[in-house]
Amino acid sequence: MVIEPQMTLVSAIDKAPFAILSHGVEAEPIFNFANQFALSLFECEWQDFIKMPSRYSAEAPSQTERALLLERVARQGFINHYQGIRISATGKRFRINNAIIWNIIDSQGQYYGQGAMFKSYTRLYS
């Protein structure tokens, strides 16, 4: 992706050809960011997405696997090459492939949540 001179970094991230999303540190983490690629894939508008508990992005049987994954990220700081089944706001299933998931921390080590980035996904029809 080339960032054009007239684009801000925020604009470039929003229009990136890959998904970038994050959730916060609430007891039940809530999504707090998604770029246009992610919003389109999850079939959700910004104002609805940032109110949604992130666990709703996985089907009930996958939520245990997702919870274990996020605990592993919390311990290690990040993981890469992750793949897993997710579900859009309208119930469509898709597999994310080769995702990177990381802890979001500031320069003082304050933890703010977790972010994810992926480009590859496969729509699942069932």
Side-chain angles (χ1 to χ4, degrees), residues 36-102:
Q36 290 301 311
F37 188 106
L39 291 171
S40 176
L41 188 57
F42 282 92
E43 300 181 304
C44 202
E45 296 295 323
W46 170 262
Q47 64 273 14
D48 298 321
F49 193 80
I50 62 167
K51 296 174 189 169
M52 183 170 54
S54 61
R55 72 179 172 90
Y56 290 175
S57 69
E59 293 178 311
S62 300
Q63 288 181 9
T64 301
E65 172 197 336
R66 181 185 164 280
L68 293 171
L69 161 77
L70 296 179
E71 287 174 19
R72 192 170 131 217
V73 173
R75 284 191 314 274
Q76 292 178 202
F78 79 100
I79 62 166
N80 55 9
H81 307 297
Y82 171 74
Q83 69 176 20
I85 306 296
R86 293 295 175 263
I87 186 167
S88 76
T90 65
K92 293 179 184 160
R93 297 169 64 238
F94 57 96
R95 177 186 310 279
I96 60 175
N97 306 304
N98 205 26
I100 301 169
I101 304 169
W102 66 92

